[in-house]
Amino acid sequence: MPDTDGTVPDMSDHQNEFEFEQLREGQHVGALDLTQLSRADARFILRGATLARLTDFLSVNPLAAIRIGPLESGRLAGRYQPQTRVLELNTRRAGSTFGSQARPGQVAAVSAWGQTKRAAMQMSFVHELGHHLLETHPSAFGLSLAARQPEVKPISYRARVERQEYFCESLVAYTFFANELTRHDPIGHTMIETLHAALRREAHDRNQSQP
């Protein structure tokens, strides 16, 4: 993804996978189905919840299941099913869905800026967590109405589809490309900043109420 000076931010996988935080089955998610992945790739992708600062939220609003495996179409990065709280990611995603050099506002989806498939899958995981937030967190729905402001500049084509997609794409951009989001769409950046402030207050209140 070209930055303002024409360079491309380094999105290669530098992290040591054995130091990655991993969601805990029974605490953040009811069941994990990761049979299609190596241990290292699974830990890398699931660390997206930590990078997005959503682990405390998931402790209170856990997913029923996370399933990472082949889905019916290579163009489908993932999906969230609100009725069942099941989140799925596609291991068969097409090569055209990552490694993009498109500029902000012209990229198909923020996850396309991932320079490897697993980096893109980590970003798609955060995107789908955004849908879980919209279904379960009281303030997320109201915050997503920022998409209706005439001054918004959606970070991706997908963010233009509807307010839910605007919210989820802004969450991914804030997590992985905060500077680009600030420059391109300050409204989206403020929306996610406000979300995180609300999540911090709630976590603080829960900690204060514990004996």
Side-chain angles (χ1 to χ4, degrees):
M1 181 195 68
D3 206 341
T4 53
D5 62 358
T7 62
V8 179
D10 184 3
M11 285 301 300
S12 56
D13 302 345
H14 292 304
Q15 300 111 318
N16 179 346
E17 60 265 24
F18 297 108
E19 295 178 357
F20 295 172
E21 299 88 341
Q22 185 172 1
L23 294 188
R24 295 180 182 175
E25 198 167 13
Q27 179 180 353
H28 305 103
V29 57
L32 287 169
D33 182 356
L34 312 173
T35 55
Q36 299 290 324
L37 290 176
S38 68
R39 177 173 174 265
D41 284 349
R43 288 170 68 87
F44 182 91
I45 292 165
L46 295 178
R47 192 186 181 220
T50 302
L51 297 175
R53 292 182 266 168
L54 295 177
T55 50
D56 282 342
F57 164 76
L58 288 171
S59 295
V60 180
N61 299 277
L63 291 158
I66 296 172
R67 299 170 183 161
I68 305 180
L71 298 179
E72 59 271 16
S73 169
R75 299 293 301 173
L76 182 63
R79 61 190 169 202
Y80 171 75
Q81 301 172 32
Q83 301 87 349
T84 58
R85 292 193 178 188
V86 172
L87 189 158
E88 296 177 288
L89 293 177
N90 192 6
T91 55
R92 291 180 55 232
R93 66 186 296 157
S96 59
T97 65
F98 57 92
S100 174
Q101 302 297 308
R103 291 188 175 276
Q106 299 176 1
V107 69
V110 176
S111 66
W113 280 331
Q115 296 303 296
T116 64
K117 185 169 82 168
R118 75 172 189 172
M121 290 179 69
Q122 187 184 64
M123 295 178 199
S124 293
F125 178 45
V126 172
H127 178 102
E128 300 306 330
L129 288 175
H131 285 292
H132 182 53
L133 271 163
L134 286 166
E135 291 292 330
T136 58
H137 192 271
S139 69
F141 177 89
L143 288 171
S144 71
L145 297 177
R148 298 177 179 175
Q149 297 184 35
E151 301 86 359
V152 299
K153 296 176 64 178
I155 193 71
S156 67
Y157 283 114
R158 187 171 184 179
R160 301 179 188 180
V161 174
E162 59 181 1
R163 61 172 182 79
Q164 291 96 332
E165 294 300 320
Y166 176 78
F167 177 89
C168 295
E169 286 288 274
S170 298
L171 176 64
V172 181
Y174 183 94
T175 302
F176 297 96
F177 305 101
N179 290 337
E180 285 75 10
L181 182 62
T182 301
R183 288 191 292 262
H184 183 77
D185 184 22
I187 291 174
H189 187 273
T190 298
M191 175 181 68
I192 303 303
E193 288 252 290
T194 305
L195 168 73
H196 282 305
L199 293 175
R200 286 194 300 270
R201 285 195 301 270
E202 292 167 10
H204 177 267
D205 291 344
R206 285 194 300 272
N207 292 336
Q208 291 294 104
S209 65
Q210 292 177 356

